[in-house]
Amino acid sequence: MSEPLTQPPAADPASGRPDAAALEGRAAALDAQDPLAAVRDRFDLVTGEVYLDGNSLGPPTTRIMERLGDVVGREWGRLGIRSWDGSGWWTAPERIGDRIGALVGAAPGQVVVGDSTSVNVFKALVAAVRMAPDGRDEILVDAATFPTDGYIAESAARMTGCTLRAVPAGEIGAAAGERTAAALVNHVDYRSGRLHDLPAVTAALHAAGALAVWDLCHSAGAVPVALDADGVDLAVGCTYKYLNGGPGSPAYLYVRGALQPRFDSPLPGWNSHADPFGMAPAYAPAEGALRGRVGTPEILSLLALDSALDAWDGVDLGDVRAKSLALTDFFLECVGALVPPGRVESVTPQAHAERGSQVSLRCQDAGEVMRALIARGVVGDHRRPDVLRFGFTPLYTRFADALHAARVLADILEGTP
């Protein structure tokens, strides 16, 4: 890991606020010492645009089109069905799962890629309840969860005869009791960017005898995740945000190795059968992570994801986290210096231990403001009613981009054309 990215703030003695004229020099200095600067060239970015929506959909890498062209033209077009074996299609869900596992602290053989995040949440939560000790009939869910997680949790509760209780993420550990079977928690809140304490919540759930299921959609590839070390039972995540797999790229499912023999999927498909081509009428689950598979893998999008993960070659995850915090610190500083006082309010925690890799600002007329930002080449998004979201992806976002985004936001809020 490289030295932290630091530069002393340039403050205006009169106001105590950072000197706007010096921010550009700060950005240049920070970009010059960025150990990830060269990784930006691995992405196909729009010239002149500042893309701060990687927490919703990451951009393509420069090699994806070449890889997809080969998959379609040669592997599918020339080899056809022979590619299931000859081109490694059949084993791709586990092979690519191991690549993602390296980014989330999972040893090989515990992550499988396939299906959507919603489907994997369902598999993980129902399986967790089935593995819980007898007599446990309660599922806890993060009260501020992404809506789909809540919908899936409610359905899983009905299916398993459990009650569902919504609890603030930070209180889930304390809320777990002798009737709690499992809890579904978001590692990073999608609205505010708040990072929840995965190790502490997991430990508290285990102390209560419950299983921990984590949603990593807004953390994997941007903040540290140590699934094995922290004893997480099951986890899910998408691959089209910080992992840049493309729209609709398949999600992944983590099942801790010790639990795999007991993992009882509510969606037993032919792809997870111990003898998938035996076509037996009775289901017999495969061993290991393969139990998380269901149907035929999404080969085109799966192999696009495989190519996208090449962008992580040689990247130190410690550098990623250090730059993420430095970028969000700097953006908040620039907003404080440039945006008219009182026009925006950060809802993202100041404390590094509680911050993901996005900045969310409460702003009146957020939808109109974001449309104006996008029209001027600063791409973020908003969540109703009043939150502007800016995602900072360390692999390609520069400090100069953070400054430019704050300047454009300030101009819009001041009414400057």
Side-chain angles (χ1 to χ4, degrees), residues 40 45-51 374 376-379 398 401 404:
R40 178 181 168 87
L45 301 168
V46 178
T47 301
E49 180 179 273
V50 172
Y51 192 76
I374 293 172
R376 294 181 59 172
V378 176
V379 181
R398 301 171 300 189
D401 297 330
H404 180 73

Side-chain angles (χ1 to χ4, degrees), residues 187 195-203 214 216 219 224-227 230-232:
H187 195 193
L195 174 66
H196 297 298
D197 192 340
L198 183 150
V201 174
T202 300
W214 285 89
L216 308 179
S219 57
V225 184
L227 295 179
D230 293 331
V232 169

Side-chain angles (χ1 to χ4, degrees), residues 192-195 332 346-356 358:
S192 67
R194 176 178 291 276
L195 174 66
L332 287 167
S346 176
V347 296
T348 299
Q350 289 285 337
H352 284 181
E354 299 174 3
R355 187 193 309 167
Q358 74 184 53

Side-chain angles (χ1 to χ4, degrees), residues 341-366:
R343 293 303 307 273
V344 298
E345 173 194 0
S346 176
V347 296
T348 299
Q350 289 285 337
H352 284 181
E354 299 174 3
R355 187 193 309 167
S357 200
Q358 74 184 53
V359 172
S360 295
L361 303 176
R362 183 167 286 119
C363 176
Q364 188 176 2
D365 300 324

Side-chain angles (χ1 to χ4, degrees), residues 44-278:
D44 186 11
L45 301 168
V46 178
T47 301
E49 180 179 273
V50 172
Y51 192 76
L52 299 179
D53 211 8
N55 57 324
S56 188
L57 176 65
T61 62
T62 56
R63 295 182 179 178
I64 277 185
M65 290 304 297
E66 179 182 353
R67 177 71 177 109
L68 281 178
D70 183 62
V71 171
V72 173
R74 183 181 63 83
E75 294 183 8
W76 177 20
R78 295 294 176 264
L79 297 177
I81 199 168
R82 291 166 291 186
S83 277
W84 283 107
D85 290 325
S87 300
W89 289 2
W90 186 258
T91 58
E94 292 75 49
R95 173 173 53 81
I96 299 169
D98 285 345
R99 299 190 73 183
I100 293 174
L103 301 177
V104 294
Q110 299 178 104
V111 178
V112 64
V113 181
D115 304 313
S116 68
T117 306
S118 300
V119 171
N120 284 325
V121 168
F122 181 72
K123 287 186 278 188
L125 199 52
V126 172
V129 173
R130 290 175 174 177
M131 288 188 282
D134 292 340
R136 291 177 177 260
D137 59 358
E138 176 186 71
I139 296 173
L140 301 181
V141 65
D142 176 357
T145 190
F146 188 78
T148 292
D149 283 16
Y151 308 154
I152 296 292
E154 195 278 331
S155 179
R158 281 190 286 114
M159 178 178 176
T160 58
C162 289
T163 59
L164 182 68
R165 183 156 60 106
V167 180
E171 300 173 16
I172 279 182
E178 61 183 14
R179 295 182 59 182
T180 307
L184 173 63
V185 198
N186 289 266
H187 195 193
V188 173
D189 184 278
Y190 78 99
R191 290 186 188 87
S192 67
R194 176 178 291 276
L195 174 66
H196 297 298
D197 192 340
L198 183 150
V201 174
T202 300
L205 288 169
H206 288 171
L211 280 76
V213 182
W214 285 89
D215 184 328
L216 308 179
C217 284
H218 287 84
S219 57
V223 302
V225 184
L227 295 179
D228 287 352
D230 293 331
V232 169
D233 300 302
L234 302 109
V236 301
C238 65
T239 61
Y240 47 80
K241 293 182 172 62
Y242 295 113
L243 300 184
N244 309 292
S249 58
Y252 56 91
L253 169 68
Y254 164 87
V255 182
R256 182 158 54 90
L259 295 179
Q260 289 176 3
R262 298 168 51 210
F263 180 80
D264 181 9
S265 174
L267 297 173
W270 77 282
N271 245 246
S272 63
H273 197 285
D275 182 14
F277 292 98

